[in-house]
Amino acid sequence: MSTPTPLKILLVDDEPLARERLRTLLGDIAMQLPTEIVGEAGNGRQALDLLQGAVADVVLADIRMPGMDGIELASHLGLL
């Protein structure tokens, strides 16, 4: 039986504790859904910069952040 390819995830939240909690939750489900955190950003602008050099299957983004928020980030990613 082959090992499933991990889901590549980018965490975007202006609160480091919130990103830490997401890492913990993803670790809790690792047996059911393998994941790989490809980066972390404190706002949407940083996330866009990270995505220039990293590939993510999923972006978990906070809605309210200083600078570029999660909604604006989604629109830049073509998700809205």
Side-chain angles (χ1 to χ4, degrees):
M1 187 166 143
S2 65
T3 305
T5 304
L7 191 63
K8 296 177 187 319
I9 299 176
L10 174 64
L11 303 179
V12 187
D13 197 305
D14 59 317
E15 297 179 28
L17 289 176
R19 294 193 310 265
E20 182 179 327
R21 178 71 177 136
L22 286 170
R23 283 192 307 275
T24 299
L25 291 170
L26 290 169
D28 289 347
I29 64 166
M31 293 299 290
Q32 295 83 18
L33 179 65
T35 60
E36 174 188 346
I37 297 173
V38 295
E40 295 186 24
N43 62 46
R45 175 61 54 206
Q46 290 174 358
L48 287 176
D49 290 344
L50 280 171
L51 289 170
Q52 295 297 317
V55 175
D57 300 312
V58 175
V59 176
L60 298 178
D62 189 8
I63 298 291
R64 294 188 179 141
M65 294 180 287
M68 183 187 296
D69 64 21
I71 300 296
E72 187 176 352
L73 171 61
S75 69
H76 282 279
L77 296 176
L79 301 175
L80 292 179

